[in-house]
Amino acid sequence: QEKEDTWARTKSKLTASYRSLKANQDHLIKTRVKTKNALAAQNARVEELERRLEESARIREELQSCLESVAIRLEAFIKKDLPFQSKERGERLASIKETLARPDKPAAEKYRRVMEALQIETEYGRTVEVCQDSIDLDDQSVLVDILKLGRLSLFCQTPDGKVTGHYDRAAKAWAILPSKYHRDIGKVIEMARHERAIDLVKLPIGRIIPGKYKH
């Protein structure tokens, strides 16, 4: 009887130990499955992140190439354009090229700088402005007021109003206009400066050929 009691106690302990181990095994199996699934999900996220990083790097390279191409075309356009605000435009373009050449500058900033320059150049074609500068006129350096009519024409006039000229696109040089245009161009300069009310004037806009002004 004593042996049976001992065995019964031993059996009870073994059964309890088995059940505990079985429960632990089930828990470990479930934990293993959860860990495996979590690891798979984490690996998937890592792969997706790596894909996005590669895609982002590719987009940055393409954007960099595109912006550099735009800057080159913009430089060529400015060289062929009417010669107004040359210093400001040149400095802006140089600053953009310097920014594009720096790998530490964010792509967003590079994009913003190029788009801003394009916007400014676009606005130049819509505005009437006057600035003062020295130009080569009749083989002399002359201080003049330069009148810009969008990208249509450039005119100039000395501060005393006695000499008036225009920029000849074909010759890529400034040329003196007949005195009959002094008054009207002077009026437009005053209008652009808001010194005179807007009025109709007659200007030599269009193709100007030697000996004849075609309006």
Side-chain angles (χ1 to χ4, degrees):
Q1 184 63 40
E2 184 178 352
K3 290 182 178 180
E4 289 181 357
D5 292 341
T6 300
W7 168 244
R9 289 193 296 272
T10 302
K11 181 180 178 182
S12 178
K13 292 180 180 179
L14 290 174
T15 300
S17 178
Y18 171 78
R19 289 174 178 172
S20 176
L21 291 174
K22 185 66 170 63
N24 287 336
Q25 182 185 38
D26 292 342
H27 174 70
L28 289 174
I29 290 174
K30 291 179 181 179
T31 300
R32 180 174 177 273
V33 171
K34 289 182 179 179
T35 302
K36 184 178 180 181
N37 291 338
L39 182 60
Q42 184 66 27
N43 288 336
R45 285 193 291 270
V46 170
E47 290 177 359
E48 176 63 14
L49 179 60
E50 290 177 346
R51 186 193 68 78
R52 291 184 180 182
L53 289 174
E54 291 176 358
E55 182 69 9
S56 178
R58 183 186 65 80
I59 291 175
R60 283 198 302 272
E61 290 178 359
E62 291 182 356
L63 179 61
Q64 176 74 20
S65 177
C66 178
L67 294 177
E68 290 175 351
S69 178
V70 170
I72 290 173
R73 291 200 297 271
L74 179 59
E75 182 176 21
F77 174 79
I78 291 175
K79 287 180 179 179
K80 293 180 180 179
D81 197 18
L82 293 172
F84 60 89
Q85 299 188 17
S86 301
K87 181 179 180 182
E88 176 185 328
R89 297 167 84 189
E91 289 177 348
R92 183 184 303 111
L93 185 61
S95 178
I96 288 173
K97 292 168 70 175
E98 189 271 338
T99 298
L100 291 178
R102 291 182 56 179
D104 60 313
K105 291 292 184 179
E109 180 179 352
K110 295 179 179 181
Y111 177 82
R112 178 183 60 80
R113 293 290 305 281
V114 173
M115 291 303 105
E116 283 180 351
L118 292 178
Q119 181 63 33
I120 291 172
E121 289 294 330
T122 299
E123 290 300 318
Y124 283 148
R126 303 172 181 170
T127 57
V128 176
E129 299 174 313
V130 175
C131 65
Q132 198 169 73
D133 200 357
S134 293
I135 63 171
D136 290 329
L137 186 62
D138 199 22
D139 296 325
Q140 295 183 30
S141 179
V142 183
L143 178 66
V144 296
D145 293 320
I146 297 177
L147 170 66
K148 178 180 74 67
L149 302 179
R151 283 196 163 84
L152 186 61
S153 294
L154 277 184
F155 297 100
C156 68
Q157 190 172 80
T158 54
D160 59 12
K162 293 182 178 180
V163 178
T164 303
H166 77 102
Y167 185 77
D168 187 331
R169 288 178 181 268
K172 296 183 179 181
W174 290 93
I176 294 177
L177 286 172
S179 59
K180 65 180 181 179
Y181 293 111
H182 291 357
R183 182 176 175 80
D184 284 337
I185 289 177
K187 284 182 179 180
V188 180
I189 289 175
E190 292 177 352
M191 292 178 199
R193 288 174 170 167
H194 306 289
E195 298 172 354
R196 172 189 287 267
I198 301 299
D199 194 5
L200 292 176
V201 295
K202 188 177 181 180
L203 296 177
I205 295 175
R207 185 168 58 91
I208 301 176
I209 58 179
K212 184 176 180 180
Y213 294 83
K214 190 171 183 178
H215 303 260

